[in-house]
Each structure stands twice: as structure tokens, then as C-alpha cells.
Amino acid sequence: MIFIAVDDEPIVLSVLTRVLSEVEPSSDIHSFGSARKVLAALEGGLRPDVAFLDIEMFGMNGLELAKHIREVSNKTKIVFVTGYPQYALEAYRLHARGYLLKPVSIKKVRAELEELKSPPLQDYGRIHVQTFGNFEIFADGKPLHFKHSKTKELLAFLIDRRGSAVNTSELCAVLWEQKPDSRSVRSHLRTLIADLNHTLSDAGAEEILIKKRNSFSIDCQQLDCDLYDFLRRETYAVNSYNGEYMSQYSWAEMTLATLEQQE
């Protein structure tokens, strides 16, 4: 196989090249310190089977470079190698076949190369949820914005429960842990639920929220989520997990502890 490894940090590039040669000793590996050099090699006829690309590079970044590679060699499989998990959604919208978080290792690279032998990954569905790092939710690739910040936290907690129903008392205790359950707190919760329902409806995703009498949950089949994929041991999700989970919410630490045990 023909590999290209691209990173503008010489030490990181050297490590990646060495790991690739150890995993696939019979492969043909070309190392580049910039996107400009890659483009020149492509013009000269180089057609790699797999491109391992850093994302944050001086000048043209890895996401832009991937587009150019695909224009010239649409059979080249793209694997992003980066220290930034927030790029995962955009990477997969470019039909990337892999996503490795630095530092790379023989184990990670071998797993990615094994994954390349499987059928191509499908695009994300209309609604994608990012839980690793900070919590975000996207509709058609664009982040959803809520009128109240607590609405976003409410949705995050429901997603964390993975389809299990919670009642009003539980939600009040989580969202306002320093306040006693009261009429005003429950009124505020009703405002948040209305805001959540309105925002999801505007995004054409109202089916995500399941509401019954004093019961609220998420239909997990209506969205893609890195947490859910991690628990199913999907390669991209395992590799994009960096030890952070819904970092802005203290209640997420219990799930984080569970993830640490499975890592």
C-alpha cells in the first residue's frame, strides 16, 4: 500500500511515519511537512491508498487538503490525525475513513487500518450529538441554539440517560442542585421544556423528545451520538474520546467515570 503522512511538526511526523512502517513494513510511505508539498507530489502523479493528515497546519489545513486530494484521487482513504476532537463532525462530513487523536500509537494505527478494510462509513444523520469535550448538538451540520442555556443542559442530561425516562423531580434536582424543589423551579423547568420542544421543532427534529405524563426521555434512534457509538465500540468514537465528557456539566462526571473504566 502507498501511504502519505502529513504534519507540519517534524517530531510528530517522524513518530507517525515510524508507527506506519512498524504496522505495515512492506508499505510505501511518503512523509510531507506541508500541504503545499503534498499538492506538488499529487501533480507529479502520486496516488496514495491512504492519507494520514494533520488538521491544524500552517497555511492550508488538513480539512482543505483532504478536499484537494479527493479531487485528484477519489479512491484515497482519508484518516485525520489531530489533537482536536471538535473536528470530528466536519471530518466525517468529508467522508473521512478514520480519526485519530494524538499521540498516535501502533495500537491505534493498526485498528484504523483494520477498519479501512470494512465498508465505507455512512454520513452522520441529520442530527448529530457531540458529548466528548463540551456538549453540542448539530442539525444538518449546524449547531442548534437555545433561548436558555439551561435548555441545552436539559437536553444534554436526557441524552446522557440514553433513552431512560426521568421525571420532573429528577430534572429539577439535576438542573438546580443548589435549590430546593419548588413551584418556581418547576415553572422554570416547564419554560425550558417548551424552549427545547420549540428549538427541536424548528430544526425538524421534534421526534427526538419523548414526553409523557411527568416523564421525559430521548428517542436514541433519531440521532447520531459519539457516546452511543463509543459504547458500541465504533472505531471513530473510541479514537475521538480524549478523556473529556460534557465538560461543562458537573453531573456528567459519573458517566465520565464509566467511560474511563471502558477506555
Side-chain angles (χ1 to χ4, degrees), residues 1 3 23-27 49-50 52 75-79 96-98 108-121 235:
M1 295 182 73
F3 296 146
V23 174
E24 290 285 343
S26 61
S27 61
D49 296 299
V50 185
F52 289 82
K75 292 185 179 180
T76 298
K77 299 177 178 67
I78 305 295
V79 176
R97 289 300 308 273
K108 288 181 179 179
V109 170
R110 181 173 286 119
E112 283 299 328
L113 292 178
E114 286 297 319
E115 185 69 16
L116 292 179
K117 299 174 184 178
S118 64
L121 298 174
T235 299

CSV table of all heavy atoms in Angstrom, one decimal, residues 1 3 23-27 49-50 52 75-79 96-98 108-121 235:
chain,number,residue,atom,x,y,z
A,1,MET,N,0.8,-1.2,0.0
A,1,MET,CA,0.0,0.0,0.0
A,1,MET,C,0.9,1.2,0.0
A,1,MET,O,2.0,1.2,0.5
A,1,MET,CB,-0.9,0.0,1.2
A,1,MET,CG,-2.0,-1.1,1.3
A,1,MET,SD,-3.1,-1.0,2.7
A,1,MET,CE,-4.1,0.5,2.2
A,3,PHE,N,1.2,5.0,1.4
A,3,PHE,CA,0.7,5.9,2.5
A,3,PHE,C,1.3,7.2,2.3
A,3,PHE,O,2.5,7.3,1.9
A,3,PHE,CB,1.0,5.4,3.9
A,3,PHE,CG,0.4,4.1,4.2
A,3,PHE,CD1,1.0,3.2,5.1
A,3,PHE,CD2,-0.9,3.8,3.8
A,3,PHE,CE1,0.5,2.0,5.4
A,3,PHE,CE2,-1.5,2.6,4.2
A,3,PHE,CZ,-0.8,1.7,5.0
A,23,VAL,N,3.7,-0.9,11.6
A,23,VAL,CA,2.4,-1.6,11.4
A,23,VAL,C,2.4,-2.3,10.0
A,23,VAL,O,1.9,-3.4,9.9
A,23,VAL,CB,1.2,-0.6,11.6
A,23,VAL,CG1,-0.1,-1.3,11.2
A,23,VAL,CG2,1.2,-0.1,13.0
A,24,GLU,N,2.9,-1.6,9.0
A,24,GLU,CA,2.8,-2.1,7.6
A,24,GLU,C,4.3,-2.0,7.0
A,24,GLU,O,4.6,-1.1,6.2
A,24,GLU,CB,1.9,-1.3,6.8
A,24,GLU,CG,0.4,-1.5,7.1
A,24,GLU,CD,-0.1,-2.8,6.6
A,24,GLU,OE1,0.6,-3.4,5.7
A,24,GLU,OE2,-1.2,-3.3,7.1
A,25,PRO,N,5.2,-2.9,7.4
A,25,PRO,CA,6.6,-2.8,7.0
A,25,PRO,C,6.8,-2.9,5.5
A,25,PRO,O,7.8,-2.4,5.0
A,25,PRO,CB,7.2,-4.0,7.7
A,25,PRO,CG,6.1,-4.9,8.1
A,25,PRO,CD,4.9,-4.0,8.3
A,26,SER,N,5.8,-3.5,4.8
A,26,SER,CA,6.0,-3.6,3.3
A,26,SER,C,5.4,-2.4,2.5
A,26,SER,O,5.4,-2.4,1.3
A,26,SER,CB,5.4,-4.9,2.8
A,26,SER,OG,4.0,-4.9,3.1
A,27,SER,N,4.9,-1.4,3.2
A,27,SER,CA,4.2,-0.3,2.6
A,27,SER,C,5.2,0.7,2.1
A,27,SER,O,6.3,0.8,2.5
A,27,SER,CB,3.2,0.3,3.6
A,27,SER,OG,3.9,0.9,4.7
A,49,ASP,N,-2.9,5.3,-1.4
A,49,ASP,CA,-4.1,4.5,-1.0
A,49,ASP,C,-4.7,5.1,0.3
A,49,ASP,O,-6.0,5.1,0.4
A,49,ASP,CB,-3.7,3.0,-0.7
A,49,ASP,CG,-3.2,2.3,-1.9
A,49,ASP,OD1,-3.9,2.2,-2.9
A,49,ASP,OD2,-2.0,1.9,-1.9
A,50,VAL,N,-3.9,5.5,1.2
A,50,VAL,CA,-4.4,6.1,2.4
A,50,VAL,C,-3.5,7.4,2.8
A,50,VAL,O,-2.3,7.4,2.6
A,50,VAL,CB,-4.2,5.1,3.6
A,50,VAL,CG1,-4.9,5.8,4.9
A,50,VAL,CG2,-4.9,3.8,3.3
A,52,PHE,N,-2.8,10.0,5.8
A,52,PHE,CA,-2.9,10.4,7.2
A,52,PHE,C,-2.5,11.9,7.4
A,52,PHE,O,-1.4,12.3,7.2
A,52,PHE,CB,-1.9,9.5,8.1
A,52,PHE,CG,-2.3,8.1,8.2
A,52,PHE,CD1,-2.0,7.2,7.2
A,52,PHE,CD2,-3.0,7.6,9.3
A,52,PHE,CE1,-2.4,5.8,7.3
A,52,PHE,CE2,-3.4,6.3,9.4
A,52,PHE,CZ,-3.1,5.4,8.4
A,75,LYS,N,-10.2,7.8,-4.8
A,75,LYS,CA,-10.1,6.5,-4.1
A,75,LYS,C,-9.2,6.5,-2.9
A,75,LYS,O,-9.2,5.5,-2.1
A,75,LYS,CB,-9.6,5.4,-5.1
A,75,LYS,CG,-10.6,5.1,-6.2
A,75,LYS,CD,-10.1,4.0,-7.1
A,75,LYS,CE,-11.1,3.7,-8.2
A,75,LYS,NZ,-10.6,2.5,-9.1
A,76,THR,N,-8.5,7.6,-2.7
A,76,THR,CA,-7.7,7.7,-1.5
A,76,THR,C,-8.5,7.8,-0.2
A,76,THR,O,-9.5,8.6,-0.1
A,76,THR,CB,-6.8,8.9,-1.6
A,76,THR,OG1,-5.9,8.8,-2.7
A,76,THR,CG2,-5.9,9.1,-0.3
A,77,LYS,N,-8.2,7.0,0.8
A,77,LYS,CA,-8.9,7.0,2.0
A,77,LYS,C,-8.2,8.0,3.0
A,77,LYS,O,-7.0,8.0,3.1
A,77,LYS,CB,-9.0,5.6,2.7
A,77,LYS,CG,-9.7,4.5,1.8
A,77,LYS,CD,-9.6,3.2,2.5
A,77,LYS,CE,-10.4,2.1,1.6
A,77,LYS,NZ,-9.7,1.9,0.3
A,78,ILE,N,-9.1,8.8,3.6
A,78,ILE,CA,-8.5,9.9,4.5
A,78,ILE,C,-8.6,9.5,5.9
A,78,ILE,O,-9.7,9.1,6.4
A,78,ILE,CB,-9.3,11.2,4.3
A,78,ILE,CG1,-9.3,11.6,2.8
A,78,ILE,CG2,-8.7,12.3,5.1
A,78,ILE,CD1,-7.9,11.9,2.2
A,79,VAL,N,-7.5,9.6,6.7
A,79,VAL,CA,-7.5,9.4,8.1
A,79,VAL,C,-6.9,10.7,8.7
A,79,VAL,O,-5.8,11.0,8.4
A,79,VAL,CB,-6.7,8.2,8.5
A,79,VAL,CG1,-6.7,8.1,10.1
A,79,VAL,CG2,-7.3,6.9,8.0
A,96,ALA,N,-14.3,11.1,5.7
A,96,ALA,CA,-13.0,10.5,6.2
A,96,ALA,C,-13.3,9.1,6.7
A,96,ALA,O,-14.4,8.8,7.2
A,96,ALA,CB,-12.5,11.4,7.4
A,97,ARG,N,-12.3,8.3,6.5
A,97,ARG,CA,-12.4,6.9,7.0
A,97,ARG,C,-11.9,6.6,8.4
A,97,ARG,O,-12.0,5.5,8.9
A,97,ARG,CB,-11.7,5.9,6.0
A,97,ARG,CG,-12.4,5.8,4.6
A,97,ARG,CD,-13.9,5.3,4.8
A,97,ARG,NE,-13.9,4.0,5.5
A,97,ARG,CZ,-13.8,2.8,5.0
A,97,ARG,NH1,-13.5,2.7,3.7
A,97,ARG,NH2,-13.9,1.8,5.7
A,98,GLY,N,-11.3,7.6,9.0
A,98,GLY,CA,-10.7,7.5,10.3
A,98,GLY,C,-10.4,8.8,11.0
A,98,GLY,O,-10.3,9.8,10.3
A,108,LYS,N,-3.5,2.1,17.9
A,108,LYS,CA,-4.5,3.0,17.2
A,108,LYS,C,-4.4,2.9,15.7
A,108,LYS,O,-5.4,2.7,15.0
A,108,LYS,CB,-4.3,4.4,17.7
A,108,LYS,CG,-4.7,4.7,19.1
A,108,LYS,CD,-4.5,6.2,19.4
A,108,LYS,CE,-5.0,6.6,20.8
A,108,LYS,NZ,-4.8,8.0,21.1
A,109,VAL,N,-3.1,2.9,15.2
A,109,VAL,CA,-3.0,2.9,13.7
A,109,VAL,C,-3.4,1.5,13.2
A,109,VAL,O,-4.1,1.4,12.2
A,109,VAL,CB,-1.5,3.2,13.3
A,109,VAL,CG1,-1.3,3.0,11.8
A,109,VAL,CG2,-1.2,4.7,13.7
A,110,ARG,N,-3.0,0.5,13.9
A,110,ARG,CA,-3.4,-0.9,13.4
A,110,ARG,C,-4.9,-1.0,13.4
A,110,ARG,O,-5.5,-1.6,12.5
A,110,ARG,CB,-2.8,-1.9,14.3
A,110,ARG,CG,-3.1,-3.3,13.9
A,110,ARG,CD,-2.4,-4.4,14.7
A,110,ARG,NE,-1.0,-4.4,14.3
A,110,ARG,CZ,0.0,-4.2,15.1
A,110,ARG,NH1,-0.2,-3.9,16.4
A,110,ARG,NH2,1.3,-4.3,14.7
A,111,ALA,N,-5.6,-0.4,14.4
A,111,ALA,CA,-7.1,-0.5,14.5
A,111,ALA,C,-7.7,0.3,13.3
A,111,ALA,O,-8.7,-0.2,12.7
A,111,ALA,CB,-7.6,0.1,15.8
A,112,GLU,N,-7.1,1.4,13.0
A,112,GLU,CA,-7.6,2.2,11.8
A,112,GLU,C,-7.4,1.5,10.5
A,112,GLU,O,-8.3,1.4,9.7
A,112,GLU,CB,-6.9,3.6,11.8
A,112,GLU,CG,-7.4,4.6,12.8
A,112,GLU,CD,-8.9,4.9,12.6
A,112,GLU,OE1,-9.4,4.9,11.5
A,112,GLU,OE2,-9.5,5.2,13.6
A,113,LEU,N,-6.3,0.8,10.3
A,113,LEU,CA,-6.0,0.1,9.1
A,113,LEU,C,-7.0,-1.1,9.0
A,113,LEU,O,-7.4,-1.4,7.8
A,113,LEU,CB,-4.6,-0.3,9.0
A,113,LEU,CG,-3.6,0.9,8.8
A,113,LEU,CD1,-2.1,0.3,8.8
A,113,LEU,CD2,-3.9,1.7,7.6
A,114,GLU,N,-7.3,-1.7,10.1
A,114,GLU,CA,-8.2,-2.8,10.0
A,114,GLU,C,-9.6,-2.3,9.7
A,114,GLU,O,-10.4,-2.9,8.9
A,114,GLU,CB,-8.3,-3.5,11.4
A,114,GLU,CG,-7.1,-4.4,11.7
A,114,GLU,CD,-7.0,-5.5,10.7
A,114,GLU,OE1,-8.0,-6.1,10.4
A,114,GLU,OE2,-5.8,-5.8,10.3
A,115,GLU,N,-10.0,-1.1,10.2
A,115,GLU,CA,-11.3,-0.5,9.9
A,115,GLU,C,-11.4,-0.1,8.4
A,115,GLU,O,-12.5,-0.2,7.9
A,115,GLU,CB,-11.5,0.7,10.8
A,115,GLU,CG,-12.8,1.4,10.7
A,115,GLU,CD,-13.9,0.5,11.3
A,115,GLU,OE1,-13.6,-0.4,12.0
A,115,GLU,OE2,-15.1,0.8,11.0
A,116,LEU,N,-10.3,0.2,7.8
A,116,LEU,CA,-10.3,0.6,6.4
A,116,LEU,C,-10.8,-0.6,5.5
A,116,LEU,O,-11.2,-0.4,4.4
A,116,LEU,CB,-8.9,1.1,5.9
A,116,LEU,CG,-8.5,2.4,6.5
A,116,LEU,CD1,-7.1,2.7,6.0
A,116,LEU,CD2,-9.4,3.5,6.2
A,117,LYS,N,-10.6,-1.8,6.0
A,117,LYS,CA,-11.0,-3.0,5.2
A,117,LYS,C,-12.5,-3.2,5.2
A,117,LYS,O,-13.0,-3.9,4.4
A,117,LYS,CB,-10.3,-4.2,5.8
A,117,LYS,CG,-8.8,-4.1,5.7
A,117,LYS,CD,-8.2,-5.3,6.4
A,117,LYS,CE,-6.6,-5.2,6.4
A,117,LYS,NZ,-6.0,-6.4,7.2
A,118,SER,N,-13.2,-2.5,6.1
A,118,SER,CA,-14.7,-2.6,6.2
A,118,SER,C,-15.3,-1.7,5.2
A,118,SER,O,-14.7,-0.8,4.6
A,118,SER,CB,-15.1,-2.3,7.6
A,118,SER,OG,-14.9,-1.0,7.9
A,119,PRO,N,-16.6,-1.9,4.9
A,119,PRO,CA,-17.3,-1.0,4.0
A,119,PRO,C,-17.3,0.5,4.5
A,119,PRO,O,-17.1,0.7,5.7
A,119,PRO,CB,-18.8,-1.5,4.0
A,119,PRO,CG,-18.7,-2.9,4.5
A,119,PRO,CD,-17.5,-2.9,5.4
A,120,PRO,N,-17.3,1.4,3.6
A,120,PRO,CA,-17.2,2.9,4.0
A,120,PRO,C,-18.3,3.2,5.0
A,120,PRO,O,-19.4,2.7,5.0
A,120,PRO,CB,-17.5,3.6,2.6
A,120,PRO,CG,-17.1,2.6,1.6
A,120,PRO,CD,-17.5,1.3,2.1
A,121,LEU,N,-17.9,4.1,5.9
A,121,LEU,CA,-18.8,4.6,6.9
A,121,LEU,C,-19.9,5.5,6.2
A,121,LEU,O,-19.6,6.2,5.3
A,121,LEU,CB,-18.0,5.5,7.9
A,121,LEU,CG,-17.0,4.7,8.7
A,121,LEU,CD1,-16.2,5.7,9.6
A,121,LEU,CD2,-17.6,3.7,9.6
A,235,THR,N,-15.0,2.4,16.0
A,235,THR,CA,-13.6,2.8,16.0
A,235,THR,C,-13.5,4.3,16.1
A,235,THR,O,-12.7,4.9,16.8
A,235,THR,CB,-12.9,2.3,14.7
A,235,THR,OG1,-13.0,0.9,14.7
A,235,THR,CG2,-11.4,2.7,14.7
